[in-house]
Amino acid sequence: MKTKIKEKATDMFLNYGFKSVTMDDIANAIGISKKTIYSSYTNKTALIEDCVMNKICTINNGIDSLIALGKNPIEELYDIKRYVMSHLKDEKTSPQFQLMKYYPKIHENMKSMQLNKMQKCLVSNVERGIEQEIYRPNLNPEFIARIYFSGINSIKDQKLFPIERFPISTLMDDFLEYHLRGIVTEKGEDILNRIINSIQQ
């Protein structure tokens, strides 16, 4: 039952927002009493934390599977972006913004896990890109990884990028292209242009 509660709650939180969904909403959606939920989770915060951490583990495992395919680093970043976007629901509810505002401790823990994961993935991505001569040879992989992570988090700030003017899917595409154009070689630029053209067709 705990797994069923977690799966349904995660889906609802991502669809409608962490603040908007109540324990009553979750209980009604599953067809159980609220007391049953409280037998597994002491409060809503504990449920949210379990849902968030479980979702991050799922995404991390998916990212590992994509990296294992051994594609070139530029294609890999686009594949990861698509995969992560597929785990986002209705962008208008901005679940991450609600998490940051109403559950800051959980948000900080999530960011810390994301940083650890992204740091390893991105440093490896840059190093392989340099080896394959599609990224510039004078790059500092750790700096590039951290500046990318910082940028990804900045574009989620709705004060800077109001969702009405900057839909998240377009914003992610624009940011990834902006990032890559700053680090690719001429050989890498050919690959990047080919990927962008295939997306636009």
Side-chain angles (χ1 to χ4, degrees):
M1 181 54 73
K2 187 173 182 177
T3 300
K4 188 175 182 180
I5 292 168
K6 180 163 53 182
E7 287 174 353
K8 188 63 182 177
T10 300
D11 187 61
M12 292 178 74
F13 287 142
L14 291 177
N15 271 306
Y16 307 111
F18 291 99
K19 180 68 173 174
S20 312
V21 176
T22 66
M23 297 293 256
D24 282 315
D25 293 332
I26 297 165
N28 291 336
I30 301 172
I32 58 174
S33 68
K34 192 162 64 171
K35 187 178 178 182
T36 304
I37 298 178
Y38 283 119
S39 67
S40 297
Y41 296 97
T42 52
N43 52 43
K44 183 181 173 182
T45 301
L47 174 58
I48 289 174
E49 184 168 25
D50 195 21
C51 290
V52 168
M53 296 308 157
N54 184 65
K55 177 58 78 172
I56 289 173
C57 288
T58 299
I59 291 173
N60 285 350
N61 289 337
I63 289 172
D64 286 340
S65 298
L66 290 173
I67 292 171
L69 295 175
K71 293 188 178 181
N72 77 64
I74 297 174
E75 287 180 306
E76 180 180 281
L77 285 181
Y78 272 93
D79 284 350
I80 290 172
K81 185 218 66 167
R82 276 192 294 270
Y83 176 75
V84 172
M85 289 296 295
S86 74
H87 281 266
L88 298 177
K89 300 284 187 171
D90 184 356
E91 59 195 42
K92 292 185 177 65
T93 64
S94 50
Q96 186 149 320
F97 180 75
Q98 287 195 15
L99 193 66
M100 180 173 60
K101 185 174 181 181
Y102 299 107
Y103 302 93
K105 187 176 178 183
I106 297 174
H107 183 260
E108 282 304 311
N109 288 341
M110 181 188 75
K111 270 185 70 176
S112 178
M113 285 181 71
Q114 286 177 324
L115 176 59
N116 288 337
K117 182 65 178 178
M118 293 287 283
Q119 189 71 5
K120 291 175 186 173
C121 292
L122 289 167
V123 166
S124 171
N125 181 278
V126 175
E127 288 173 346
R128 284 181 286 117
I130 292 171
E131 286 172 10
Q132 295 174 29
E133 299 181 344
I134 58 176
Y135 293 163
R136 290 189 286 108
N138 61 336
L139 299 174
N140 178 335
E142 188 151 333
F143 170 77
I144 298 299
R146 287 177 181 270
I147 207 74
Y148 182 81
F149 182 79
S150 174
I152 281 288
N153 281 285
S154 293
I155 65 173
K156 292 172 185 171
D157 185 343
Q158 292 195 15
K159 291 176 184 174
L160 279 174
F161 298 97
I163 209 155
E164 315 80 55
R165 292 172 56 196
F166 300 96
I168 189 68
S169 55
T170 306
L171 195 57
M172 290 291 284
D173 279 336
D174 289 346
F175 176 74
L176 185 51
E177 180 181 353
Y178 172 83
H179 166 76
L180 285 167
R181 290 209 182 276
I183 65 173
V184 293
T185 59
E186 191 173 332
K187 179 181 174 183
E189 189 174 15
D190 289 340
I191 296 170
L192 177 59
N193 288 337
R194 190 174 69 245
I195 293 171
I196 291 170
N197 288 337
S198 69
I199 292 171
Q200 292 172 345
Q201 285 175 358

